[in-house]
Amino acid sequence: MLYIAIELAQEFDLENYLEYTQGFKELHALQLFLQLLKGIKAIHQSGFADRDIKVSNILIGQDLKLKISDLGLAAPLNGCSYSNERHDIRNTECK
């Protein structure tokens, strides 16, 4: 029997958080953006591309820490073919 344990997400998603707070100051936005970049970097270093980053897939906890959720469209980076010479991950076809 296989068990999968996941953390219970009691956070807002970033979309609802933005609606609830009516936005936030530039410094706070920069701090959140840097967290997001670190999360994306961690996913890439694990050998995957998320391919579905959007505000509704970014959770924000009471401690204001971001978590990337819904990796259903993630694909291995080594299984991707790039459609341009610059290896732009936005234009990938992954199997």
Side-chain angles (χ1 to χ4, degrees):
M1 183 174 284
L2 175 68
Y3 292 95
I4 298 175
I6 59 173
E7 181 179 349
L8 176 62
Q10 296 179 334
E11 297 92 353
F12 281 105
D13 64 39
L14 192 53
E15 182 175 36
N16 290 331
Y17 182 75
L18 285 167
E19 289 175 8
Y20 178 75
T21 62
Q22 299 296 310
F24 31 74
K25 298 200 183 288
E26 185 176 344
L27 180 59
H28 186 201
L30 178 61
Q31 291 168 339
L32 293 176
F33 185 66
L34 290 174
Q35 284 186 58
L36 178 60
L37 290 178
K38 287 179 183 180
I40 293 170
K41 180 180 179 182
I43 293 169
H44 289 178
Q45 288 176 333
S46 296
F48 291 90
D50 183 324
R51 303 187 317 149
D52 195 24
I53 296 287
K54 57 188 174 190
V55 291
S56 60
N57 287 345
I58 300 169
L59 303 180
I60 184 165
Q62 293 178 347
D63 57 0
L64 300 180
K65 300 291 184 202
L66 296 184
K67 296 177 184 172
I68 299 172
S69 66
D70 191 3
L71 297 169
L73 292 179
L77 286 172
N78 62 1
C80 297
S81 61
Y82 300 97
S83 63
N84 64 27
E85 294 176 3
R86 294 185 345 211
H87 298 279
D88 189 344
I89 195 108
R90 295 171 299 174
N91 298 313
T92 59
E93 180 180 313
C94 300
K95 298 171 173 77

